[in-house]
Amino acid sequence: QLQLVESGGGLVQPGGSLRLSCAASGLTLRYYAIGWFRQAPGKEREGVSCISSSGGITNYADSAEGRFIVSRDNAKNTVYLQMNSLKTEDTAVYYCAGAWACRGWDTAQYDYWGQGTQVTVSS
């Protein structure tokens, strides 16, 4: 069982930055692709980014392209999501999820989920 724990959320002003972390335990993270998703109040969970197990392939949703950067350090069993130029519409609970490969934004394709970390963008 791959266990994932997100951290790094918080309150930030529009235009600011945050770096989220997704730490793994239980199984070795390096075998898994990791997706980042978010869910705002009253909305469905949506995909943000995904990184392959090796880190060689990264995907971004249109909402994240050019502002967010996903990376991983398999030696530390951790995946990161650097979020820059944050907007109020980025406010959501952010989740990381594990799968054998990046499988788009269908949440059913991801087998392991963290509990989420709240990101609030507000002045």
Side-chain angles (χ1 to χ4, degrees):
Q1 186 87 6
L2 182 66
Q3 292 153 351
L4 302 172
V5 177
E6 304 92 339
S7 62
L11 174 64
V12 63
Q13 292 186 340
S17 298
L18 280 176
R19 188 177 79 157
L20 306 183
S21 297
C22 173
S25 63
L27 294 174
T28 304
L29 184 68
R30 64 188 175 96
Y31 296 120
Y32 294 88
I34 296 294
W36 284 96
F37 292 78
R38 67 187 184 186
Q39 188 166 18
K43 295 188 176 181
E44 292 188 355
R45 195 167 296 189
E46 63 176 7
V48 175
S49 182
C50 188
I51 186 167
S52 64
S53 57
S54 67
I57 298 172
T58 56
N59 298 322
Y60 297 94
D62 289 345
S63 60
E65 188 75 56
R67 299 188 299 128
F68 295 1
I69 302 171
V70 63
S71 62
R72 66 191 297 154
D73 185 341
N74 285 339
K76 294 183 178 180
N77 253 11
T78 303
V79 172
Y80 305 97
L81 184 68
Q82 177 68 41
M83 305 189 297
N84 302 317
S85 302
L86 283 162
K87 307 175 182 178
T88 55
E89 51 263 44
D90 294 318
T91 296
V93 177
Y94 283 71
Y95 301 88
C96 61
W100 288 112
C102 288
R103 299 172 176 176
W105 311 129
D106 181 359
T107 57
Q109 300 300 316
Y110 291 79
D111 303 308
Y112 305 101
W113 290 84
Q115 293 301 305
T117 185
Q118 176 71 48
V119 171
T120 302
V121 185
S122 175
S123 55

